[in-house]
Amino acid sequence: MNTALSWIKAYVKDLDVTDQEYTDAMTLTGTKVEGFEKLDADLDKIVIGQILSIERHPDADKLVVCQVNVGNETVQIVTGAKNVLVGQKVPVVLDGGRVAGGHDGSKTPGGIRIKKGKLRGVESCGMMCSIEELGSTRDFYPNAPEDGIYILDEDAPVGADAIEYLGFRDTVFEYEITSNRVDCYSVLGIAREAAATFGKEFVPPVVKETGNDEDVNTMISAVVEDKELCSRYCLRMVKDVKIAPSPEWMQRRLAASGIRPINNLVDITNYVMEEYGQPMHAYDYDTIADKKIVVKRAKDGDTFMTLDGQERKLDSSILMINDGEKPVGIAGIMGGENSKITDDVKTLVFEAACFDGTNIRLSAKKVGLRTDASGKFEKGLDPNNTIEAMNRACQLIEELGAGTVVGGVVDIYPEKNEEKRVAFDWKKVNALLGTDISKEQMIKYFEKIDLKYDYDKDEVIVPTFRQDLLCNADLAEEVARFYGYANIPVSLPSGEATTGKLSFKLRIEAIARDIAEYCGFSQAMTYSFESPKVFDKLLIPEDSSLRKVITIANPLGEDYSIMRTTTLNGMLTSLATNYNRRNKAVKLYELGNIYIPKELPLTELPDERMQFMLGMYGDGDFFTMKGVVEEFLEKLGLRKKPEYNPKAGLTFLHPGRQANIVYDGEVIGYLGEVHPQVLDNYEIGERAYIINIDMPMIVDKATFDRKYTGIAKFPAVTRDISMVMKKEILVSEIEKVIEKRGGNLLESYKLFDIYEGAQIKEGYKSVAYTLSFRSAERTLEDKDIAPAMEKILKDLAAMDIELRQ
C-alpha cells in the first residue's frame, strides 16, 4: 500500500510533520511504514518560466536561443527541443539547480547539477526541462510530449515554484499492512490512523446525495444467485457520459500512488478504489443484454475473453457477472472485452460489490490473473463500505462534469453486517499491559479511531470496518499502541511459570533429567504411536488394563495404530537397537506420556501421564537402578526411604528380580530385570534392567522446601550390628525397626554387607549395618545410646533374627 503525504493531509486537519516523524510515529502505532520516497529529492531551483523570444543559434542548425522570463529576471537558455514556442510556460532549472535525470528517462542518484555554460559559443544560463528530467514519465503525465520540453498550463504563475506546481513537492510512503487490517488498504484508513496517531481531527470527504429524478431500478435490474460468494451487490448509472482527461489534482494523486491516469471515468474508479479501498467496475449500458445483471458461478469448461484480450478458462468455482445472455466480467477480477468502455460510450453502469475474499484469491490463481481489484477483494472487504464508495464515485462524476447521475441505486444486501459489541474490562487491560491507565483515557483512545463506548453495559461498539477487534485482548492492543509501547514500564509478568523460573511440574522433570544424566543415562525419545503386537512381545496378559488402548482413526499403518499405555516397548526397542549395533554398555532414559482412556469408546480426553523410564544393560545391576531411584527421590525432598515390594507380579520382568516402588503406602513405579523371554523377543542378548516412575504421583509428594542445618559440633558415635536371618526377611523390614527404635539420637544407618555362603547355614543370610548416633548439644556416652540399641536388638530378636558372633 502506497500513499502520498499530500493525500493524507487532505483528510487530516493541520497535519504538519516531517517525513521521518511521520514514519516513526505511524510505525509505533501499528501502521508500519516500510520506507518513503521524496519526489523532489533530486530537484532544486526549478521555477516556472515563460518564453519571450526564440532565435536560431548562429553556429548550430538544431539549436535555438530562448529568452525566458523566470519572474525576477530574464535568462538566456540554449535548447535543442523542437516543441518550444514563444509565450509558452515551461519548467526552468536555474544556474546551480538540479534535475533528477536525463532526457532519456534515466535517473542519476543525487540528481544532475545544471551550471551556466556555453553551447557552441553561446551562453546558456539554465535549462528547460522535459518530464523525464523532472523524475517522472509520460505514463503519469500523459499530456507530456514524447520528445521535448514539458509545456505547462497557460495559467501557471511565472516565477513560481515549478516543483510545487507539478505536484513533486510530496512524499510517497510505502506501508506493510497486515491482512487483519483491511481498513488500512485505503487512503481514508491510513488517514484515520494518522489523525489518531498525531492527535489531529480526521476530516473524511463529505459524500453528497447525487442523481436526477429518474430511478435506476426502472432501467436495469440485478439478481444474485450465489449469496455466499457475493454478500452485497450495488449498481448505479450515469447518462450523457463525457470522456475527457481528469483534473490535475486527481492525476497527481493517482500518479503518486503508482496509478497511470487515463481519462476521467477510469481515473474516478481508480481514485475511489484507492480512497475507500473499494474496487469498482464500469460497463457500457448499451452492451448489456436484457438490461439485467446476474451474479452466478461459471460452468466447468466455459471460456471468457477479459479486457486484456486474453481468453480465460473457467470452472464452476469461479463467480461471474452476467447480463441476460452472456458473461460480462469475472467477479472481483476483471471485466470482459464484450462490455468495455469505449470513447463512444453514452451511458455506463457503475458496479460496486463485496465478494468472498477466499474465492476471489483462488479464482485469480485459477485464471492466471491478479489485479489491483482482486488484491483488495481477497482481503475480505466490509460490505457497508460498498454503497459509500459508489456514492463517492457518482459525486465525483457530477463534480467533474463527466455525466448525469441517474437517481436511485440497485442494492442487493440480504444479510446486513452489523456493528459488534465487545465487553471491555479496563482493569484486565492494565493487568495485561502492566500499566496504570485510567478508564477514561482508554475510552479517549477508542474514540480517536471511531470506536464508540456504551457506558451502561461497559461495551465497546466496533464499526464494521474494524474486523480485527473481537475480544478484550484486541482492545488492549489498541490501548497499547496509542498509549505508546515505549511508555509501558518494564515489569515481570505475573504467574508462577513466568516469574523467572519453571513451573513446579517442569522443575521436577528438569531434576529427573539431571539425575538421569548425572548417573550416566542418555536421553531417548520414542513414538507415542505403537502397534497392538507390542503387548504380546511384552508378555502382557489378555485381561491386563494396559491392553485397553485408544485406536487412532487414521493411522499411518498397523505399527502406529494405537496410543501407548506404557513406555516400556519404546525403551526396549531403543536398547535392542543399541545392542544389535554392538554397543557394549548402554543407559537410556525417557520422559514421555502414556495415554490411559477413562472409558472406551472415548467420550472425553484420556489421562495423559508423564512417565520417567530408565533402561540399561551392561555395567550395572538391580541395585544400580535402585540407587538411581533413591537419588531421584532424595533430590525431590521425599525424606522417607522408599520400600520395595517384590510381589509386583509384572509379567515382563524377571519373577524373582522385580519390585514395586512404594512411597508412603502408594505405588509410585516399579523396577527390575527384564524377563528373559521378553529379552529374546527384542533380541537383547544380555540382562537388561528397567525403572518406571509415574511422575504425577511424584509431583504430588515432592517439595523444594529445605531447612538449613549447621555442621555438627559434637562427634558421632557408631555401632555395627551383624545379623543372621532367613533369606525371606527383607532388609526394609530391618530398617523399619532401626528407624522406629533408634530414637531422636539416631542420625543415620547404612547397610554395608550381605553375605550368603559356607559359613552361614542354608536358607539364611548375614546382614550388617552401621548405625550412627549424634547429639547437637553434647558428646554422647555409651549410656546414652545403650537404651536405643537394646530396643533395636529386642525387636530384631522377636523377628527370629540373631546377632552374628
Side-chain angles (χ1 to χ4, degrees), residues 219-221 235 282-294 322-326 328 338-339 347-349:
M219 304 172 68
I220 192 168
S221 62
L235 294 174
Y283 302 98
D284 187 338
Y285 176 71
D286 293 332
T287 65
I288 297 177
D290 300 335
K291 309 310 176 192
K292 180 181 181 181
I293 294 291
V294 181
N322 305 266
D323 62 15
E325 297 177 353
K326 61 188 180 300
V328 294
N338 55 10
S339 62
T347 304
L348 62 82
V349 179

Side-chain angles (χ1 to χ4, degrees), residues 212-433:
N212 59 18
D213 295 334
E214 298 176 275
D215 184 1
V216 66
N217 290 278
T218 64
M219 304 172 68
I220 192 168
S221 62
V223 176
V224 177
E225 293 188 3
D226 198 322
K227 294 181 174 60
E228 290 184 2
L229 299 185
C230 179
S231 56
R232 189 173 193 179
Y233 191 80
C234 302
L235 294 174
R236 292 199 71 176
M237 287 181 58
V238 178
K239 298 171 59 177
D240 305 323
V241 173
K242 300 178 182 65
I243 294 180
S246 55
E248 289 285 333
W249 62 267
M250 181 175 285
Q251 292 189 33
R252 299 293 73 79
R253 287 182 179 178
L254 290 174
S257 298
I259 299 175
R260 181 169 63 92
I262 298 175
N263 60 49
N264 50 2
L265 296 181
V266 176
D267 291 354
I268 285 171
T269 58
N270 286 334
Y271 185 87
V272 172
M273 180 174 70
E274 291 300 304
E275 187 176 50
Y276 280 81
Q278 171 65 53
M280 299 181 63
H281 189 67
Y283 302 98
D284 187 338
Y285 176 71
D286 293 332
T287 65
I288 297 177
D290 300 335
K291 309 310 176 192
K292 180 181 181 181
I293 294 291
V294 181
V295 183
K296 62 181 181 179
R297 294 175 186 252
K299 296 179 181 178
D300 289 332
D302 284 355
T303 59
F304 180 69
M305 184 75 72
T306 49
L307 276 172
D308 57 1
Q310 298 292 317
E311 188 172 80
R312 310 288 176 176
K313 295 181 179 180
L314 310 175
D315 62 35
S316 58
S317 69
I318 298 173
L319 190 67
M320 300 295 292
I321 309 299
N322 305 266
D323 62 15
E325 297 177 353
K326 61 188 180 300
V328 294
I330 305 177
I333 300 175
M334 184 176 280
E337 180 77 18
N338 55 10
S339 62
K340 69 179 181 179
I341 301 298
T342 66
D343 292 342
D344 299 326
V345 65
K346 295 180 177 60
T347 304
L348 62 82
V349 179
F350 265 137
E351 168 198 88
C354 188
F355 301 114
D356 179 74
T358 302
N359 179 263
I360 295 298
R361 178 177 59 83
L362 295 175
S363 297
K365 187 175 182 180
K366 286 179 180 178
V367 301
L369 179 62
R370 194 171 188 274
T371 60
D372 289 340
S374 68
K376 292 187 183 295
F377 275 122
E378 67 187 26
K379 304 296 189 299
L381 301 183
D382 174 19
N384 289 340
N385 191 44
T386 302
I387 193 66
E388 187 77 6
M390 171 73 82
N391 291 337
R392 172 64 167 161
C394 291
Q395 178 186 6
L396 290 171
I397 288 283
E398 287 193 349
E399 289 180 357
L400 303 185
T404 302
V405 178
V406 176
V409 60
V410 176
D411 188 3
I412 301 174
Y413 194 11
E415 295 184 17
K416 187 175 180 182
N417 191 18
E418 301 289 352
E419 294 177 328
K420 297 189 294 290
R421 285 177 169 264
V422 178
F424 176 59
D425 188 332
W426 69 280
K427 293 181 180 178
K428 284 187 177 180
V429 170
N430 274 327
L432 181 63
L433 300 179

Side-chain angles (χ1 to χ4, degrees), residues 81-214:
K82 299 177 182 179
N83 66 323
V84 291
L85 298 171
V86 173
Q88 287 176 333
K89 294 180 180 179
V90 294
V92 177
V93 56
L94 301 176
D95 178 31
R98 284 183 303 160
V99 293
H103 187 70
D104 59 357
S106 61
K107 288 189 178 182
T108 302
I112 300 173
R113 183 74 64 182
I114 303 300
K115 296 181 180 181
K116 182 189 297 185
K118 290 185 177 182
L119 290 177
R120 300 292 293 269
V122 177
E123 187 176 62
S124 182
C125 300
M127 183 178 77
M128 293 179 285
C129 304
S130 67
I131 197 65
E132 289 79 12
E133 287 163 335
L134 295 173
S136 189
T137 66
R138 294 182 67 249
D139 287 339
F140 300 115
Y141 286 79
N143 59 335
E146 185 173 351
D147 183 19
I149 302 302
Y150 185 75
I151 309 302
L152 302 173
D153 294 337
E154 293 181 2
D155 59 355
V158 175
D161 184 354
I163 302 173
E164 180 77 31
Y165 182 83
L166 288 168
F168 291 126
R169 196 72 75 188
D170 204 351
T171 304
V172 176
F173 292 88
E174 179 185 358
Y175 306 87
E176 180 186 337
I177 307 298
T178 53
S179 58
N180 65 325
R181 289 302 305 273
V182 181
D183 57 301
C184 287
Y185 285 94
S186 66
V187 174
L188 286 176
I190 297 291
R192 184 184 292 107
E193 289 292 311
T197 297
F198 295 101
K200 303 295 183 180
E201 183 182 355
F202 175 52
V203 188
V206 177
V207 181
K208 300 177 182 178
E209 184 177 348
T210 55
N212 59 18
D213 295 334
E214 298 176 275

Side-chain angles (χ1 to χ4, degrees), residues 621-735:
D621 55 19
F622 181 94
F623 296 102
T624 303
M625 302 295 270
K626 180 171 173 282
V628 176
V629 172
E630 296 182 358
E631 184 81 21
F632 175 55
L633 298 182
E634 182 182 357
K635 189 72 174 178
L636 294 178
L638 278 66
R639 306 194 187 286
K640 295 181 182 179
K641 277 204 170 187
E643 299 178 22
Y644 301 92
N645 182 358
K647 299 179 181 179
L650 300 173
T651 56
F652 46 81
L653 295 181
H654 193 292
R657 300 166 189 163
Q658 61 172 269
N660 277 334
I661 305 169
V662 181
Y663 186 87
D664 204 16
E666 292 185 291
V667 177
I668 61 172
Y670 60 82
L671 80 159
E673 181 182 322
V674 180
H675 195 287
Q677 181 59 51
V678 175
L679 291 175
D680 288 344
N681 291 341
Y682 283 89
E683 298 181 356
I684 300 175
E686 59 179 287
R687 292 182 178 182
Y689 301 89
I690 291 293
I691 297 172
N692 189 72
I693 296 176
D694 188 46
M695 293 297 282
M697 298 286 291
I698 295 295
V699 170
D700 292 340
K701 302 176 186 300
T703 176
F704 292 108
D705 293 338
R706 300 289 188 271
K707 185 177 180 180
Y708 172 74
T709 302
I711 298 173
K713 296 180 180 180
F714 301 97
V717 176
T718 60
R719 291 290 185 271
D720 292 345
I721 53 174
S722 182
M723 300 159 282
V724 177
M725 66 193 74
K726 294 179 180 179
K727 287 184 178 181
E728 291 78 17
I729 298 176
L730 302 177
V731 292
S732 60
E733 298 177 50
I734 300 171
E735 291 176 355

Side-chain angles (χ1 to χ4, degrees), residues 431-488:
L432 181 63
L433 300 179
T435 54
D436 186 20
I437 308 171
S438 68
K439 180 180 179 180
E440 293 71 21
Q441 184 61 51
M442 292 184 187
I443 294 173
K444 287 182 180 179
Y445 292 145
F446 296 151
E447 291 172 346
K448 289 165 63 173
I449 50 176
D450 291 346
L451 305 184
K452 301 174 185 175
Y453 191 75
D454 187 332
Y455 287 88
D456 295 331
K457 297 182 179 180
D458 273 337
E459 291 178 335
V460 173
I461 303 171
V462 181
T464 55
F465 64 79
R466 286 303 301 271
Q467 302 175 22
D468 58 311
L469 301 182
L470 304 173
C471 62
N472 198 63
D474 295 327
L475 299 177
E477 183 179 2
E478 300 302 297
V479 171
R481 66 194 187 97
F482 289 113
Y483 176 72
Y485 292 108
N487 297 324
I488 297 177

